[in-house]
Amino acid sequence: MKSSPPADGPLLQVQGVGKRFGRIHAVDEVSFDLWPGEVLAVVGESGSGKSTLLNLVAGRLAADSGAVLYRSQDRGLEDLVTMDEPRRRYLARSEWGFVHQSPRDGLRLKVSAGANVGERLMALGARHYGRIRGAAADWLARVEVPLDRLDDLPETFSGGMQQRLQIARNLVTAPRLVLLDEPTGGLDVSVQARLLDLLRNLVADLDLAVVIVTHDLAVARLLSHRMLVMQRGRVVETGLTDQVLDDPQAAYSQLLVASILQG
Ligand code: ADP
Ligand code: MG
């Protein structure tokens, strides 16, 4: 058995993290903590730095400044900003999930649905074919992909089904931290509702720690405990989701909330 890390403490501590692209300050001095089992929504309009922040948190982009401390199972607190690439890849396989806005970025479209899920277990050392296939089938059922599609290529799936498959691929390894970038972004409204419902149940059942990026305040309302409102790379407001949405304090959050009410 692995020794368990101290339960008392955030899973993730983002401390004054910053990222520039040329003259654009995409993320500017952003800080937040994420506790085990907590769902944090990052909201803001297009271009406010949400995806950049998520990529900094995943170590997919190197921050120019600040620290991203992650509490791993085996080593305790580690800084993603200075972590070497093999270690980052190991954590990405074993402890994290990352769901892209476009399933095309998070799936292998020319490999069967079952293999898309199963290969994540193989990457962690699973070798027993029957068990891998069984786990893949279980996960397809959980995300409501019909079992007779197990051997089909994801490129033959609808957008909603592809996104559900991407979620299965990212949860099959029982990650501790899941990062989602606009997971309902490209989908029709009715398909979005079903995916959100599914996500909400999975997050609760698996007790996941989640950072979800969205420009849709209804998504934040449904899924998150706390939220962080970004404008031009900065956090302009943070608080409990219901509090921020019912009584926004920052002028920018007031505008965001008003614009959806007029929607
Ligand atoms: P959001 O996800 O909130 O729409 P992004 O994080 O994608 O915002 O972008 C924040 C800002 O950084 C935008 O001005 C965007 O144009 C810029 N940006 C993002 N990624 C890059 C990149 N790879 N190269 C140059 N500029 C980028
Ligand atoms: Mg984005």
Side-chain angles (χ1 to χ4, degrees):
M1 287 261 307
K2 281 180 185 165
S3 62
S4 34
D8 54 331
L11 192 59
L12 192 66
Q13 292 167 253
V14 177
Q15 300 177 336
V17 87
K19 181 72 184 174
R20 282 175 177 277
F21 295 110
R23 295 176 52 202
I24 298 171
H25 221 146
V27 170
D28 191 0
E29 286 280 321
V30 171
S31 300
F32 65 87
D33 288 350
L34 185 75
W35 290 75
E38 187 178 35
V39 181
L40 177 77
V42 177
V43 306
E45 63 196 341
S46 177
S48 56
K50 305 181 300 295
S51 294
T52 303
L53 177 62
L54 204 65
N55 283 311
L56 293 174
V57 168
R60 294 161 54 87
L61 273 178
D64 300 330
S65 54
V68 179
L69 304 179
Y70 173 72
R71 189 183 298 278
S72 68
Q73 298 261 40
D74 52 349
R75 297 192 189 167
L77 281 185
E78 297 179 67
D79 188 354
L80 277 158
V81 175
T82 52
M83 182 179 288
D84 63 43
E85 184 60 13
R87 177 65 180 165
R88 191 194 73 79
R89 283 174 179 270
Y90 171 76
L91 289 173
R93 281 198 303 275
S94 60
E95 300 203 10
W96 306 334
F98 193 105
V99 175
H100 296 261
Q101 170 166 3
S102 167
R104 302 186 158 272
D105 297 326
L107 286 177
R108 295 213 290 143
L109 295 179
K110 304 214 180 279
V111 167
S112 75
N116 263 280
V117 178
E119 70 180 11
R120 296 299 296 263
L121 293 172
M122 293 178 68
L124 287 184
R127 286 294 172 264
H128 189 287
Y129 177 77
R131 257 180 253 140
I132 293 168
R133 194 172 163 86
D138 286 349
W139 266 97
L140 289 195
R142 269 187 110 147
V143 298
E144 299 166 8
V145 171
L147 263 188
D148 62 5
R149 305 301 302 268
L150 184 69
D151 296 318
D152 292 352
L153 301 181
E155 63 183 5
T156 67
F157 288 8
S158 68
M161 201 185 283
Q162 285 181 353
Q163 201 55 306
R164 298 202 302 280
L165 180 63
Q166 194 192 175
I167 288 164
R169 177 176 158 92
N170 277 281
L171 297 186
V172 66
T173 51
R176 304 169 73 215
L177 171 65
V178 179
L179 308 175
L180 303 133
D181 192 355
E182 308 260 12
T184 59
L187 304 172
D188 292 345
V189 174
S190 64
V191 177
Q192 281 187 23
R194 183 165 165 218
L195 186 72
L196 271 178
D197 204 41
L198 184 83
L199 263 180
R200 190 170 53 154
N201 289 329
L202 285 171
V203 166
D205 288 353
L206 303 171
D207 198 27
L208 297 172
V210 175
V211 181
I212 179 167
V213 158
T214 180
H215 67 275
D216 185 341
L217 298 183
V219 171
R221 171 86 88 181
L222 200 66
L223 287 177
S224 69
H225 304 116
R226 269 195 310 133
M227 60 191 263
L228 196 143
V229 182
M230 287 186 73
Q231 180 189 26
R232 277 187 244 110
R234 295 186 175 220
V235 175
V236 294
E237 181 157 0
T238 176
L240 294 174
T241 298
D242 288 342
Q243 259 168 33
V244 174
L245 292 179
D246 293 342
D247 186 19
Q249 300 296 306
Y252 178 74
S253 322
Q254 290 168 357
L255 270 177
L256 264 191
V257 170
S259 69
I260 129 157
L261 290 179
Q262 287 157 12

